[in-house]
Short mmCIF file of all heavy atoms in Angstrom, two decimals:
data_model
loop_
_atom_site.label_atom_id
_atom_site.label_comp_id
_atom_site.label_asym_id
_atom_site.label_seq_id
_atom_site.Cartn_x
_atom_site.Cartn_y
_atom_site.Cartn_z
N GLY A 227 -3.28 4.07 -6.76
CA GLY A 227 -4.28 5.10 -6.51
C GLY A 227 -3.64 6.40 -6.09
O GLY A 227 -2.42 6.56 -6.16
N LEU A 228 -4.49 7.31 -5.60
CA LEU A 228 -4.04 8.60 -5.11
C LEU A 228 -3.98 8.54 -3.59
O LEU A 228 -4.95 8.13 -2.93
CB LEU A 228 -5.01 9.68 -5.56
CG LEU A 228 -4.80 11.09 -4.99
CD1 LEU A 228 -3.46 11.66 -5.44
CD2 LEU A 228 -5.95 12.00 -5.41
N VAL A 229 -2.85 8.95 -3.04
CA VAL A 229 -2.67 8.91 -1.59
C VAL A 229 -1.91 10.15 -1.16
O VAL A 229 -1.10 10.69 -1.92
CB VAL A 229 -1.93 7.61 -1.17
CG1 VAL A 229 -0.53 7.56 -1.77
CG2 VAL A 229 -1.89 7.45 0.32
N GLN A 230 -2.19 10.61 0.06
CA GLN A 230 -1.48 11.78 0.58
C GLN A 230 -0.08 11.40 1.05
O GLN A 230 0.17 10.24 1.41
CB GLN A 230 -2.27 12.38 1.74
CG GLN A 230 -3.60 12.99 1.32
CD GLN A 230 -4.26 13.73 2.48
OE1 GLN A 230 -3.95 13.50 3.64
NE2 GLN A 230 -5.19 14.60 2.14
N PRO A 231 0.83 12.35 1.07
CA PRO A 231 2.17 12.07 1.61
C PRO A 231 2.06 11.50 3.02
O PRO A 231 1.25 11.95 3.83
CB PRO A 231 2.83 13.45 1.61
CG PRO A 231 2.16 14.18 0.50
CD PRO A 231 0.73 13.72 0.52
N GLY A 232 2.88 10.48 3.27
CA GLY A 232 2.83 9.79 4.55
C GLY A 232 1.87 8.62 4.58
O GLY A 232 1.87 7.84 5.54
N GLY A 233 1.08 8.47 3.55
CA GLY A 233 0.10 7.40 3.49
C GLY A 233 0.69 6.07 3.03
O GLY A 233 1.90 5.95 2.81
N SER A 234 -0.20 5.09 2.89
CA SER A 234 0.22 3.73 2.52
C SER A 234 -0.65 3.19 1.40
O SER A 234 -1.81 3.58 1.25
CB SER A 234 0.10 2.79 3.73
OG SER A 234 0.94 3.18 4.78
N LEU A 235 -0.06 2.29 0.64
CA LEU A 235 -0.77 1.53 -0.38
C LEU A 235 -0.18 0.13 -0.43
O LEU A 235 1.00 -0.06 -0.13
CB LEU A 235 -0.63 2.16 -1.77
CG LEU A 235 -1.49 3.37 -2.12
CD1 LEU A 235 -1.09 3.92 -3.48
CD2 LEU A 235 -2.96 3.03 -2.10
N ARG A 236 -0.99 -0.82 -0.85
CA ARG A 236 -0.52 -2.18 -1.07
C ARG A 236 -0.81 -2.57 -2.51
O ARG A 236 -1.97 -2.64 -2.91
CB ARG A 236 -1.19 -3.16 -0.13
CG ARG A 236 -0.60 -4.57 -0.19
CD ARG A 236 -1.52 -5.55 0.50
NE ARG A 236 -0.86 -6.83 0.78
CZ ARG A 236 -1.52 -7.97 0.93
NH1 ARG A 236 -2.83 -8.01 0.82
NH2 ARG A 236 -0.86 -9.09 1.20
N LEU A 237 0.25 -2.81 -3.26
CA LEU A 237 0.12 -3.23 -4.65
C LEU A 237 0.13 -4.75 -4.74
O LEU A 237 0.79 -5.42 -3.94
CB LEU A 237 1.25 -2.66 -5.49
CG LEU A 237 1.47 -1.16 -5.44
CD1 LEU A 237 2.59 -0.76 -6.41
CD2 LEU A 237 0.20 -0.40 -5.73
N SER A 238 -0.60 -5.27 -5.72
CA SER A 238 -0.62 -6.70 -5.97
C SER A 238 -0.23 -6.97 -7.42
O SER A 238 -0.49 -6.15 -8.30
CB SER A 238 -2.01 -7.27 -5.72
OG SER A 238 -2.41 -7.11 -4.38
N CYS A 239 0.37 -8.12 -7.64
CA CYS A 239 0.75 -8.55 -8.99
C CYS A 239 0.34 -10.00 -9.12
O CYS A 239 0.94 -10.88 -8.48
CB CYS A 239 2.24 -8.38 -9.18
SG CYS A 239 2.88 -9.17 -10.68
N ALA A 240 -0.67 -10.25 -9.92
CA ALA A 240 -1.19 -11.60 -10.11
C ALA A 240 -0.64 -12.20 -11.38
O ALA A 240 -0.69 -11.57 -12.45
CB ALA A 240 -2.71 -11.56 -10.16
N SER A 241 -0.13 -13.41 -11.27
CA SER A 241 0.43 -14.11 -12.42
C SER A 241 -0.55 -15.15 -12.95
O SER A 241 -1.24 -15.81 -12.16
CB SER A 241 1.73 -14.80 -12.03
OG SER A 241 2.21 -15.61 -13.10
N SER A 242 -0.57 -15.32 -14.27
CA SER A 242 -1.44 -16.33 -14.89
C SER A 242 -0.86 -17.73 -14.74
O SER A 242 -1.55 -18.73 -14.99
CB SER A 242 -1.64 -16.02 -16.37
OG SER A 242 -0.40 -16.04 -17.06
N GLY A 243 0.39 -17.81 -14.34
CA GLY A 243 1.04 -19.08 -14.11
C GLY A 243 1.88 -19.01 -12.85
O GLY A 243 1.72 -18.09 -12.04
N SER A 244 2.77 -19.94 -12.70
CA SER A 244 3.64 -19.92 -11.52
C SER A 244 4.54 -18.71 -11.55
O SER A 244 4.96 -18.24 -12.62
CB SER A 244 4.48 -21.19 -11.49
OG SER A 244 3.67 -22.33 -11.36
N LEU A 245 4.84 -18.19 -10.39
CA LEU A 245 5.77 -17.07 -10.30
C LEU A 245 7.18 -17.50 -10.70
O LEU A 245 7.56 -18.67 -10.51
CB LEU A 245 5.79 -16.52 -8.87
CG LEU A 245 4.50 -15.89 -8.36
CD1 LEU A 245 4.64 -15.55 -6.87
CD2 LEU A 245 4.13 -14.65 -9.14
N PHE A 246 7.93 -16.56 -11.22
CA PHE A 246 9.35 -16.80 -11.47
C PHE A 246 10.06 -16.95 -10.13
O PHE A 246 9.60 -16.45 -9.11
CB PHE A 246 9.95 -15.66 -12.26
CG PHE A 246 9.41 -15.53 -13.65
CD1 PHE A 246 8.54 -14.49 -13.98
CD2 PHE A 246 9.77 -16.43 -14.64
CE1 PHE A 246 8.03 -14.35 -15.26
CE2 PHE A 246 9.26 -16.30 -15.93
CZ PHE A 246 8.40 -15.27 -16.23
N SER A 247 11.22 -17.60 -10.13
CA SER A 247 11.94 -17.78 -8.87
C SER A 247 12.32 -16.43 -8.27
O SER A 247 12.30 -16.27 -7.05
CB SER A 247 13.18 -18.65 -9.08
OG SER A 247 14.03 -18.08 -10.05
N ALA A 248 12.67 -15.48 -9.10
CA ALA A 248 12.91 -14.11 -8.64
C ALA A 248 11.87 -13.19 -9.26
O ALA A 248 11.66 -13.23 -10.47
CB ALA A 248 14.31 -13.65 -9.02
N MET A 249 11.23 -12.40 -8.43
CA MET A 249 10.23 -11.45 -8.89
C MET A 249 10.61 -10.06 -8.39
O MET A 249 11.13 -9.92 -7.28
CB MET A 249 8.84 -11.81 -8.36
CG MET A 249 8.28 -13.11 -8.90
SD MET A 249 7.88 -13.06 -10.66
CE MET A 249 6.65 -11.75 -10.71
N SER A 250 10.34 -9.07 -9.21
CA SER A 250 10.69 -7.69 -8.83
C SER A 250 9.55 -6.74 -9.10
O SER A 250 8.69 -6.99 -9.95
CB SER A 250 11.92 -7.22 -9.62
OG SER A 250 13.10 -7.78 -9.12
N TRP A 251 9.59 -5.64 -8.38
CA TRP A 251 8.78 -4.47 -8.69
C TRP A 251 9.71 -3.41 -9.29
O TRP A 251 10.86 -3.25 -8.84
CB TRP A 251 8.10 -3.92 -7.45
CG TRP A 251 6.91 -4.72 -7.02
CD1 TRP A 251 6.88 -5.72 -6.08
CD2 TRP A 251 5.57 -4.60 -7.50
NE1 TRP A 251 5.60 -6.22 -5.97
CE2 TRP A 251 4.78 -5.54 -6.83
CE3 TRP A 251 4.95 -3.78 -8.45
CZ2 TRP A 251 3.41 -5.69 -7.06
CZ3 TRP A 251 3.60 -3.91 -8.69
CH2 TRP A 251 2.84 -4.86 -7.99
N TYR A 252 9.17 -2.70 -10.26
CA TYR A 252 9.87 -1.61 -10.92
C TYR A 252 8.91 -0.42 -10.97
O TYR A 252 7.71 -0.57 -10.77
CB TYR A 252 10.27 -1.98 -12.35
CG TYR A 252 11.08 -3.25 -12.48
CD1 TYR A 252 10.45 -4.49 -12.53
CD2 TYR A 252 12.46 -3.20 -12.57
CE1 TYR A 252 11.19 -5.66 -12.65
CE2 TYR A 252 13.21 -4.36 -12.71
CZ TYR A 252 12.56 -5.58 -12.74
OH TYR A 252 13.30 -6.75 -12.87
N ARG A 253 9.44 0.76 -11.27
CA ARG A 253 8.56 1.92 -11.43
C ARG A 253 9.13 2.87 -12.47
O ARG A 253 10.35 2.88 -12.71
CB ARG A 253 8.35 2.64 -10.10
CG ARG A 253 9.59 3.31 -9.55
CD ARG A 253 9.29 3.89 -8.16
NE ARG A 253 10.45 4.58 -7.60
CZ ARG A 253 10.49 5.06 -6.37
NH1 ARG A 253 9.44 4.93 -5.55
NH2 ARG A 253 11.57 5.68 -5.94
N GLN A 254 8.24 3.64 -13.05
CA GLN A 254 8.65 4.64 -14.02
C GLN A 254 7.89 5.93 -13.75
O GLN A 254 6.66 5.97 -13.87
CB GLN A 254 8.40 4.17 -15.45
CG GLN A 254 8.96 5.13 -16.50
CD GLN A 254 8.98 4.53 -17.89
OE1 GLN A 254 8.26 3.58 -18.19
NE2 GLN A 254 9.83 5.08 -18.75
N ALA A 255 8.65 6.93 -13.37
CA ALA A 255 8.07 8.26 -13.12
C ALA A 255 8.02 9.04 -14.41
O ALA A 255 8.77 8.76 -15.35
CB ALA A 255 8.90 8.99 -12.08
N PRO A 256 7.15 10.05 -14.50
CA PRO A 256 7.05 10.84 -15.73
C PRO A 256 8.40 11.44 -16.12
O PRO A 256 9.09 12.04 -15.29
CB PRO A 256 6.06 11.94 -15.35
CG PRO A 256 5.24 11.35 -14.26
CD PRO A 256 6.18 10.46 -13.48
N GLY A 257 8.78 11.22 -17.37
CA GLY A 257 10.01 11.79 -17.88
C GLY A 257 11.28 11.09 -17.43
O GLY A 257 12.39 11.55 -17.73
N LYS A 258 11.14 9.96 -16.74
CA LYS A 258 12.31 9.24 -16.24
C LYS A 258 12.33 7.81 -16.76
O LYS A 258 11.31 7.28 -17.21
CB LYS A 258 12.32 9.24 -14.72
CG LYS A 258 12.48 10.62 -14.11
CD LYS A 258 12.68 10.54 -12.62
CE LYS A 258 12.92 11.91 -12.01
NZ LYS A 258 13.14 11.85 -10.54
N GLN A 259 13.49 7.18 -16.66
CA GLN A 259 13.61 5.78 -17.06
C GLN A 259 13.00 4.87 -16.00
O GLN A 259 12.93 5.23 -14.82
CB GLN A 259 15.08 5.43 -17.27
CG GLN A 259 15.70 6.07 -18.49
CD GLN A 259 17.09 5.52 -18.79
OE1 GLN A 259 17.81 5.09 -17.91
NE2 GLN A 259 17.46 5.54 -20.07
N ARG A 260 12.59 3.71 -16.45
CA ARG A 260 12.09 2.71 -15.51
C ARG A 260 13.22 2.28 -14.58
O ARG A 260 14.36 2.13 -15.02
CB ARG A 260 11.56 1.50 -16.29
CG ARG A 260 10.55 0.69 -15.51
CD ARG A 260 9.96 -0.45 -16.31
NE ARG A 260 9.88 -0.23 -17.73
CZ ARG A 260 8.72 -0.14 -18.40
NH1 ARG A 260 7.58 -0.24 -17.75
NH2 ARG A 260 8.72 0.01 -19.71
N GLU A 261 12.90 2.10 -13.30
CA GLU A 261 13.94 1.76 -12.34
C GLU A 261 13.49 0.62 -11.44
O GLU A 261 12.30 0.40 -11.22
CB GLU A 261 14.29 2.98 -11.48
CG GLU A 261 13.16 3.48 -10.61
CD GLU A 261 13.57 4.66 -9.72
OE1 GLU A 261 14.71 5.15 -9.83
OE2 GLU A 261 12.74 5.09 -8.90
N PHE A 262 14.47 -0.07 -10.91
CA PHE A 262 14.25 -1.16 -9.97
C PHE A 262 13.77 -0.62 -8.64
O PHE A 262 14.25 0.41 -8.17
CB PHE A 262 15.56 -1.93 -9.79
CG PHE A 262 15.57 -2.86 -8.62
CD1 PHE A 262 15.00 -4.11 -8.70
CD2 PHE A 262 16.17 -2.49 -7.43
CE1 PHE A 262 15.01 -4.98 -7.62
CE2 PHE A 262 16.19 -3.34 -6.34
CZ PHE A 262 15.62 -4.59 -6.43
N VAL A 263 12.81 -1.34 -8.02
CA VAL A 263 12.31 -0.95 -6.70
C VAL A 263 12.63 -2.03 -5.66
O VAL A 263 13.19 -1.73 -4.61
CB VAL A 263 10.79 -0.71 -6.75
CG1 VAL A 263 10.24 -0.46 -5.34
CG2 VAL A 263 10.45 0.44 -7.68
N ALA A 264 12.27 -3.28 -5.95
CA ALA A 264 12.44 -4.34 -4.95
C ALA A 264 12.45 -5.69 -5.64
O ALA A 264 11.88 -5.86 -6.71
CB ALA A 264 11.32 -4.29 -3.91
N LEU A 265 13.10 -6.66 -4.99
CA LEU A 265 13.20 -8.02 -5.51
C LEU A 265 12.97 -9.01 -4.40
O LEU A 265 13.37 -8.77 -3.25
CB LEU A 265 14.57 -8.25 -6.13
CG LEU A 265 14.92 -9.68 -6.61
CD1 LEU A 265 15.76 -9.63 -7.87
CD2 LEU A 265 15.65 -10.45 -5.52
N ILE A 266 12.35 -10.14 -4.74
CA ILE A 266 12.20 -11.24 -3.80
C ILE A 266 12.47 -12.54 -4.54
O ILE A 266 12.04 -12.73 -5.67
CB ILE A 266 10.79 -11.25 -3.15
CG1 ILE A 266 10.71 -12.32 -2.07
CG2 ILE A 266 9.68 -11.41 -4.20
CD1 ILE A 266 9.49 -12.17 -1.16
N THR A 267 13.20 -13.44 -3.91
CA THR A 267 13.48 -14.75 -4.50
C THR A 267 12.51 -15.79 -3.93
O THR A 267 11.78 -15.53 -2.98
CB THR A 267 14.91 -15.18 -4.22
OG1 THR A 267 15.03 -15.45 -2.81
CG2 THR A 267 15.90 -14.12 -4.64
N SER A 268 12.59 -16.97 -4.50
CA SER A 268 11.73 -18.06 -4.02
C SER A 268 12.08 -18.44 -2.60
O SER A 268 11.25 -18.97 -1.87
CB SER A 268 11.83 -19.27 -4.94
OG SER A 268 13.18 -19.69 -5.07
N GLY A 269 13.32 -18.16 -2.22
CA GLY A 269 13.74 -18.41 -0.85
C GLY A 269 13.44 -17.26 0.08
O GLY A 269 13.89 -17.26 1.22
N THR A 270 12.71 -16.30 -0.41
CA THR A 270 12.26 -15.09 0.31
C THR A 270 13.39 -14.13 0.68
O THR A 270 13.23 -13.29 1.56
CB THR A 270 11.40 -15.43 1.56
OG1 THR A 270 12.22 -16.07 2.53
CG2 THR A 270 10.22 -16.30 1.18
N PHE A 271 14.53 -14.25 0.02
CA PHE A 271 15.54 -13.18 0.13
C PHE A 271 14.96 -11.94 -0.53
O PHE A 271 14.32 -12.02 -1.57
CB PHE A 271 16.82 -13.61 -0.60
CG PHE A 271 17.79 -12.48 -0.82
CD1 PHE A 271 18.64 -12.08 0.19
CD2 PHE A 271 17.83 -11.80 -2.03
CE1 PHE A 271 19.53 -11.04 0.00
CE2 PHE A 271 18.72 -10.76 -2.24
CZ PHE A 271 19.57 -10.38 -1.22
N THR A 272 15.18 -10.79 0.09
CA THR A 272 14.68 -9.54 -0.47
C THR A 272 15.78 -8.50 -0.54
O THR A 272 16.73 -8.52 0.25
CB THR A 272 13.53 -8.97 0.37
OG1 THR A 272 13.98 -8.74 1.71
CG2 THR A 272 12.33 -9.91 0.39
N THR A 273 15.65 -7.59 -1.50
CA THR A 273 16.54 -6.46 -1.60
C THR A 273 15.77 -5.29 -2.18
O THR A 273 14.79 -5.49 -2.91
CB THR A 273 17.79 -6.79 -2.44
OG1 THR A 273 18.72 -5.72 -2.34
CG2 THR A 273 17.44 -7.02 -3.90
#
């Protein structure tokens, strides 16, 4: 959605099946390549 600077949002990603052992969020800004944002493993390691 639209949010002011300093604000917060919570994104959700629903899977039709079981999640992969490692799941990531990525983003693509206008005119830029898609980039990695965050990763979580089944063991809840995050980066």
Side-chain angles (χ1 to χ4, degrees):
L228 173 64
V229 63
Q230 293 187 341
S234 298
L235 281 174
R236 187 194 195 204
L237 306 183
S238 298
C239 169
S241 173
S242 61
S244 297
L245 295 173
F246 295 107
S247 58
M249 294 292 299
S250 284
W251 283 95
Y252 305 84
R253 67 185 181 187
Q254 186 168 21
K258 295 188 177 181
Q259 290 189 332
R260 203 176 330 245
E261 64 177 4
F262 166 81
V263 174
L265 174 144
I266 186 166
T267 68
S268 56
T270 68
F271 167 81
T272 59
T273 188

